[in-house]
Amino acid sequence: MLEVHEVAHQWWGNVVIPAGYQDEWLIESLANYSALLLIEKNKGSKAVDAVLEGYKNHLLRKQADGSTIESAGPITWGYRLQSSLAPNAWHVVTYEKGTWIMHMLRRRLGDEKFLSLLRDIYNRYRFSPISTEQFRELAATYAPPKSPDASLKAFFENWVYGTGIPQVKLTYSLRGLKLVGTISQRNVADDFIALVPVEVQTARQKTVHWLATGSEPVPFAIPVKTALAKAVLLPSDCLMTTSR
Ligand SMILES: [Zn+2]
């Protein structure tokens, strides 16, 4: 992993460079996620999920005062995350949360668009600095146009400029040919609004719906074609924990 990460710096860091210390996470996360894409190619997506699961555990690890490592501060704080309270917070947040941010972005944009985004950054920012906001604006041009949060502003507010890993709960029942339920979150601030992936499964197909969380349980209704449909959260696609 480390070796591949360093090789990935041939592109990210040597050619595309951060605008300031607040943007260094971007280069490290791009390098680390590129390394993860190579692992996926060689070993499959299960191997990637295992790495991400390990990262999540590190981020959720409790410090002496009961707070998580992830809550040390937003990823854009960069080296300022190095405090005596959580001496390894800088590393864990920069590399491991950063990798999660890239992974979540990929899931939001889709594989093809995400890879186009990486190529686009490389071409546009060759030998020139990129800031976090420039990255967001470019990424937003690859977001599905009619999707909620197409500007990715909420995505960046929560995951990049903010802190928090929500514990998400999905409840639903089948009413006629509709999955009717609520999605609720805990462990995050009231203004944390994440889009979380919910997969609706039938014998014939699986469809992912991105549902918004909020300070109160958020109701949803998804039409389905068969009464045998069920809905599950996809914790491998979003930095969250789940509860029943
Ligand atoms: Zn690096």
Side-chain angles (χ1 to χ4, degrees):
M1 183 75 195
L2 221 104
E3 208 170 287
V4 191
H5 174 104
E6 294 314 324
V7 171
H9 272 303
Q10 285 177 1
W11 304 283
W12 312 119
N14 290 348
V15 177
V16 179
I17 49 178
Y21 77 85
Q22 306 95 323
D23 315 300
E24 266 163 19
W25 73 274
L26 201 51
I27 302 304
E28 292 309 332
S29 308
L30 286 167
N32 220 48
Y33 200 67
S34 299
L36 216 54
L37 287 172
L38 201 67
I39 289 179
E40 180 175 306
K41 201 171 170 188
N42 295 333
K43 296 184 181 166
S45 60
K46 287 242 161 65
V48 170
D49 290 346
V51 171
L52 289 170
E53 183 69 21
Y55 287 175
K56 186 188 295 186
N57 292 337
H58 297 160
L59 288 160
L60 288 168
R61 196 170 286 163
K62 293 265 170 57
Q63 306 171 84
D65 69 349
S67 64
T68 65
I69 300 276
E70 190 272 341
S71 69
I75 198 166
T76 48
W77 281 11
Y79 71 88
R80 291 193 293 146
L81 286 165
Q82 277 165 323
S83 72
S84 55
L85 196 64
N88 59 343
W90 169 77
H91 182 269
V92 174
V93 171
T94 302
Y95 291 80
E96 307 194 353
K97 189 181 178 189
T99 302
W100 261 106
I101 290 169
M102 291 300 161
H103 184 65
M104 290 192 283
L105 197 55
R106 173 190 176 188
R107 289 295 185 245
R108 284 281 298 280
L109 304 182
D111 282 6
E112 203 182 307
K113 294 279 171 119
F114 181 74
L115 293 175
S116 301
L117 168 65
L118 296 189
R119 275 192 296 270
D120 202 359
I121 294 168
Y122 187 77
N123 290 329
R124 278 172 200 251
Y125 291 95
R126 257 180 111 82
F127 306 113
S128 60
I130 184 169
S131 72
T132 301
E133 271 303 288
Q134 285 168 323
F135 175 70
R136 180 189 62 75
E137 283 167 14
L138 192 57
T141 66
Y142 289 91
K146 281 180 186 159
S147 63
D149 190 33
S151 69
L152 299 174
K153 280 186 177 158
F155 181 96
F156 275 69
E157 278 309 317
N158 289 321
W159 303 113
V160 178
Y161 300 119
T163 62
I165 296 178
Q167 185 186 66
V168 181
K169 186 176 176 179
L170 171 76
T171 53
Y172 70 92
S173 60
L174 196 74
R175 295 207 200 131
L177 283 180
K178 247 183 204 171
L179 295 175
V180 179
T182 59
I183 198 141
S184 51
Q185 70 182 9
R186 288 178 54 194
N187 302 345
V188 283
D190 275 357
D191 60 357
F192 194 98
I193 298 172
L195 286 172
V196 296
V198 173
E199 188 174 71
V200 174
Q201 305 172 339
T202 66
R204 281 165 174 243
Q205 61 178 355
K206 292 175 175 175
T207 329
V208 177
H209 297 255
W210 293 89
L211 303 181
T213 62
S215 56
E216 302 289 322
V218 181
F220 68 86
I222 301 171
V224 288
K225 291 204 173 83
T226 159
L228 294 170
K230 64 175 189 172
V232 293
L233 287 163
L234 297 178
S236 59
D237 289 350
C238 183
L239 184 52
M240 62 182 179
T241 58
T242 58
S243 75
R244 284 169 188 278

